[in-house]
Structures are given as C-alpha cells and as structure tokens.
Amino acid sequence: MSQRLFVKGNEAVAMAAIEAGCRYYFGYPITPQSDIPEYLSRELPKLNGEFIQAESEVGAINMLLGASATGVRAMTSSSSPGISLKQEGISYMAGSELPGVIVNISRSGPGLGGIDASQADYWQSVKGGGHGGYHIIVLAPASVQEMYDLTMLAFDLADIYRTPVMVLADSVVGQMKEALVPNPRPETTLPEKDWVVRGRKEGTEQKIVKSLFLGDGELEAHNWKLHGKYDVMREKECRQELFMTEDAQLIVTAFGSVARIAKTAILTAREAGMKVGLLRPITLFPFPTQAYRDVTGQCKKILDIELNNGQMVEDVRLSVARDAEVHFYGRPPGAGSLPVPEELFEQIKKYY
Amino acid sequence: MQQVFQRPVSLKDVPTHFCPGCQHGTIHRLVAEAMDEFGVRERTIGVASVGCSVFLYGYFDVDVVEAPHGRAPAVATGVKRARPDSFVFTYQGDGDLAAIGTAEIIHAANRGEDITVIFVNNTTYGMTGGQMAPTTMVGQKTSTSPYGRDHAKDGSPIRMAELLAQLGGVAFSARVAVNTPKNLMDARKQIKKAFRYQVEGKGFSFIEALSTCPTAWGVTPIQANERIGGEMIDYFPLGQFKDTAQWKPQPPPPAPVEQPGALSFPEFMNEI
Amino acid sequence: MRYDLFITGFGGQGVLLAGNLLSYAAIIEGKNVSFLPAYGVEKRGGAAMCTVVIADGEVGSPVIGRPSTCVYLNQTSLDRYGAKVKDGGVAIINSSLVDDSGWSRDDLDVIRIPMNRIAMDLGDARMVNMVAAGAYAAKSGSVALESLEQALKSVLPERNHRFIPANMQAIRAGAGAVQG
C-alpha cells in the first residue's frame, strides 16, 4: 500500500494538480480556498512553475486562458463570489475550446453571503454560468481522496474534450483532513494539442484561438460541434457512487459533503431495519441520468437532499420522470444550517 | 531596378476592413515592420482585444489568442509566463484598455510583464458605433455624450502613457502619432524601441498611438487627420514618458528567524 | 468500530492540535478518520473546536450533531455546547477551568480532570491538550497511546523531538486520570 498521508482537502487539490503536471496557477485570495494558492505559491517555484496572484479573479481566469492557449496545464481556484467574476473567462474558454481546471470551494450567497459551506452554486456550475449556452464538466468530490483523484481526472478530461472542467466542493470537504493515498498520475492517452499557439514557424499553419465566428453559418456550426461534445460526455463520462441501493425502498440522493452526511444517516436507518440507499452523482455535468433510471426500476421513492433550496432536484426529476416519487429536503446555506446526520435520519423516516 | 519599399512579411497580403481614413492599418504596418526587424515573427503570439482590432489574426501572419474585452494584458501574462521564449504583444483600443481593462493593464504593467502593449487611442468606441470612451475629449460629442463630454459629469480624458509611466514595472512608455510623415517616422522608431525592450527581456513596454476614427467622429479623413495634429496632440503630447531598463525587482525579504523555545503549535499544524 | 469526538476550548489551548494528533494516530493504526475544524464565524471570538471521526470502515459523515464524546477545555465551551453530547455519552471536562456544578445532565458519564494543574505539574501549562488527548484515547480505546507517540514522532520535525517525552508524560497522565 502506498503511504497514507493526513491532508486537508484543499491541499489535496493542490498536490493533485502538481502530480497531474500543472505548473501554472493563477488566483486571487478568497476564503475558504486560500490553502490552494498558499500551497502552490510555495511549491510551484521549486518546480520551475509560475504562480501569479492576480489583480482579480477576472485577471486570474484570463491568465489561465492565455496559458492554456499555449498548451500547458494550468489552473485557477476561487470561491463563489470569485467564481461569478470568472464566468466571463469561462464562457470564452468554453467558446474557444480551451482546457483548464477551475476549482470552486463554494461558500454561501447570494451576494457576499457568508463563508459557510454551500451547494447553492449547482445551477451556476452545471447550467453554464456565463453567457452563450455552453456546458463545462463539473466534478463533485466528497472526500479528501476524491479531492485529489478528481482534480487529477479534471486535467485529463479538460485535455480530452478541450473544455474547462470545474471541481465543485465546499469548505467541509476543503477544510477537512482525512487520510490520502497520493496516487501517481495514471497513464492516459491524450489527444495531441495541435491547436496551440506557440509562434507560427515558416511552413506551418497560423493558429488562432478564438470564440468569435461572424461568417454565415459559422457560429451555428461551432455550437453544434460544442453540443456534440456534450453528448459524448453524457454518454461516456457520467460517474456516480451507488451505496446500498440494490434492495432500497428509499434512495437518498445528494452530492459532495451532503452525501457524506447523508451516508451516516443511511447507516443509522439500516441499523433500524430500513432499506435505504444512496445515489451520489460524482459528475454533476454530465448528470448521471441513466443511474437514476436504473435504480428507479425497483425503488419508487427518491429523497434529494441539498445544502440549498433545491437545485439538483430539478435534474433528478428530469432523470426519474414519472418512474418514482421525488422528495426534497434542503436548507439554504449559512452559519448553522449545515445539516447533521441525525436531522437527515428524521427526513428519511418521514419519507420512507 | 532596386526595390525600396515592400509589405512587411509579418503582414498578410489582404485588404483590411478598416474605414477610409482610419489609421489602424498604418499602425498595423509599423508593428509588422518592427516584427520583421527583430525577426520575431515565428515566435510571436499576438493577443487580440475587442473592438476594431479584434481581427488582428486576419492581418498579422502570426499565432493569435483572442481575449475577452479589456483582458488582453492578463491573457498575455498567461501566454508569456507559460512560454517565456515567445514574443508577446497585445493590441488594444481605448475602450478596451482604458475603461473595462484598467485593472488588467495597470497590474500587468506593474508586475513588469515582459510583453509589449500597443494601445490605439482614437477617443471613441469605434466598433460599437462611436460612444464616449475614457479618452474622449472634453466637449467632444459622441453617441453617448450628445451634448459633449462634460468634465463635471464624465471626468477628463485619461492619459494612459503618462499614467503607466509611474509604475515600477514599466520599462518603456511612449505616445506616438502617424498623422504626419515626421510623426510617423518617429512612431516607427518608438515602436521598434518598445519591441527591443521585450526582445532584450527588459520588461513591460507600452506604446500609445493616437489614431483617427473619421466614421465615428463624423468628419472626412482629412479633417480627422487634422484633428490629431490640432486638438489631440495638445492634450495628449507625443514623446517618451519612461525609457529605462533600470527597473529591478525588489530585493527578497530576509529569511524568517527560527522561533526558539517550546513546541511550536503552528509549525506542528503545518507538518501534520 | 466507529468513534466520534468533539473537542472545544479557547484559542491557544491546542484544541486543533489534540484533534490532529488523535487523527494521525488513527491513520498510523490503519484506520479511517476525518478531522473537521470549525470554520467560518464560529472561529471568531477566540473559540476553537473540531470534530474527529475514527472508523475501521468508512467514516461517513465528518459532521456530527450529537457526538458520543465531548471534551470541554474551558467554561464557555461547556456553557455553549453542553447539550451537544449524545444521550448516554461521555463528557471529559477540564475541571481546572470548568465548573459543571450547575449542569444538569445525569445521563452522561462525566470525567473531570484538572488538566491545567496536571500540565503545570509536568512543567508546561500548554500541555493541557495532550492531557485531554491522552484522556480521550484511554477512555474510548479508539487509539493506543503508543500510536500517539508514533504520531508525535512522525509529524514533529526532528529538532522538536526533544519535546516528545514531556508531551508523552502529559498524555499518560491524562490516560491515568481516566483510569484512576
């Protein structure tokens, strides 16, 4: 067995980025993700990498855009209000088909809100947070190990699909420390980056990284191409965790930190003889629709739990259609509203 | 017969989309000449902005990244840091650079990014139809200042070349014009100088080029050119505002002194 | 087995360090563990707290509403979080600073240890957290004292290893106070 370290979630993200070959980080301080830039500001210079504390989140995402256009692996991280500022750049990156990893250790809103854990950025993340009708891949880790593994995966998916990829977590997963096995970067065959700008050598084609398409039919074709990629992602990249769903009469569905909290409530329910399981989407986009269809073959009750007033539940309802009842329990994020397992067990009893 | 004049190889042989009397084309040519002179075309990465200059890649025969409005200096920062061997320039208008992109230009300049910024000041938003820009002259009528720019309400035009010259990271800052043969010759010299700074790795270089926009100004090309020499140069004087390779990074801070004494809790926390 | 613990006190008492140390010891023993520090506004006002879950299998929730064991290192902690301990659970109280005479929980196993006095007797008042860690380890059986020593060795830089014997004395004293 590899060495098990005891690491904070945010640091696991930074460690994974380095292992994934990311040597360029651009960020701006914001709670509760500052461990990530702090770690990388210390480590990247030792690896001949670049760490820039940008003038703003807007500056940072555009530095990521520029670095990525040259073909290197690069990353930025922030928290909700900062991610709002990055949406402009994310839309441009999606339009320009630029890979890049964006980490959102989200906090409560709207506005300045608070710094407590939140899942209220679900819509913003999966429905295209900026203008123009695009998607980015969104990964939702629920443990320190997943913070590491999914950050590593994010870089590969970004390169494979030429798309921004977001790692969406919150301060529970970001500030928590757990055992971590720092897995080495897996061997993956990645497409050649033949589109990058590096200076046009004589006899080679001019490379242009852009999202402006003014010619008749050009932009429509470009959007069909992007949406074709989203279909491939839906087909090939859905990931989820199924926990005790085989015989379940009620399936709880939740992502990230809330799924962790729900798991303990489910174990309590099992101890009480109740057949309860968990379906945890790991990819929020693409949303694991098929997994919901599969489990609702036999289970007719779904309880969706979120740390917000109900966002993912819309995708759950679309996935389940009329095959099962979908109930929702959630609380808006803020100091003191993080649910505890005992509270979720009460909800399980209510809908079981 | 000796050929004494030709198109710079860094410039494509295509007609531009610029309006009659617009000086973007002339400024493009001067930039391309500088590229040729230093032989940097094959390692140049241009960063296009939003506005009339967005079609940079259509005219310059170099690799180009298109930046969101105002963000070209941040994009150029990412490009240059990732590929320090490349020659990186942005080409931005006054709305792009001096309004929406103020934070990006000031901080890229202040960090002393080893890039060259070509800033075209025509006192208006040309592409969107002649609205008021941060560089619009007091009294100048535009589609969003129909009564003329009012100093009390709208402030006064920003002098970017002077402003940026104040920053520690800026190695070179100059304002040029291409309205007369003399000014054009001087502009050519200054642009080359700006390029030289980057070629020699001496830090951030900035060129502000005064330019016409006869369409938005609602005047003839000749009248537009005359406005440069009259009104504009009076307010936006030509010349170098900074010309130094002397800027040096701050010395590194002294090494932290090790805390003597008992078990250090914060240290322990870091190790664990 | 599964253990959950909530430690609370004021900043400077080494609450987070105690939680970290117990967690690290559990990792050394091959167990799974989550350590969740208080964050956000709870951090303000000088209070410090953390939740530790140690499990042979999956940790599950790192957030616990009613922990089976709570360690209270100062009076405010007990006043504020006294109701948090699970019914029939364990409360370990630093009786040097906490007066629980007005506290009405007769369902609990309450262990009162004069942690400040023990730590001072051993030469450094700052070792209160080590006394607490030792007491919890002994009471719960969640981690062995040897693992705590191993944890200290692993996480402390070599030059600070000279502090380990004194800290282990404090850990053992805490453990002894539970058994005694």
Side-chain angles (χ1 to χ4, degrees), chain A residues 11 30 41 62 81 85-86 91 97-98 109 119-120 142-143 163 179 199 204-205 220 224 257-258:
Chain A
E11 289 179 344
I30 182 169
S41 66
N62 283 290
L85 286 168
K86 289 186 195 293
S91 170
E97 295 187 87
L98 283 176
Q119 297 190 323
S143 65
T163 176
T204 65
E205 241 178 74
E220 184 187 356
W224 279 119
S257 58
V258 174

Side-chain angles (χ1 to χ4, degrees), chain A residues 27-80:
Chain A
Y28 185 85
I30 182 169
T31 304
Q33 61 81 53
S34 295
D35 315 276
I36 299 173
E38 282 165 6
Y39 186 99
L40 292 170
S41 66
R42 190 175 71 232
E43 297 303 323
L44 284 177
K46 298 179 194 167
L47 300 162
N48 292 322
E50 289 280 352
F51 169 92
I52 301 185
Q53 182 165 322
E55 60 274 16
S56 67
E57 284 93 347
V58 177
I61 190 75
N62 283 290
M63 291 174 192
L64 175 64
L65 187 157
S68 171
T70 71
V72 300
R73 286 191 157 185
M75 178 171 102
T76 185
S77 66
S78 190
S79 180
S80 308

Side-chain angles (χ1 to χ4, degrees), chain B residues 258 261-262 265 267-268 271, chain C residues 17 20 126 155-156 159 163:
Chain B
E258 198 180 315
F265 294 129
E267 185 173 48
F268 186 97
E271 296 291 333
Chain C
L17 180 61
N20 264 285
R126 285 181 299 174
V155 299
L156 282 180
R159 63 177 187 280
F163 300 113

Side-chain angles (χ1 to χ4, degrees), chain A residues 161 231-239 286:
Chain A
Y161 293 98
D231 286 339
V232 177
M233 291 171 195
R234 287 184 182 104
E235 193 186 314
K236 289 169 71 172
E237 302 300 344
C238 290
R239 288 167 172 82

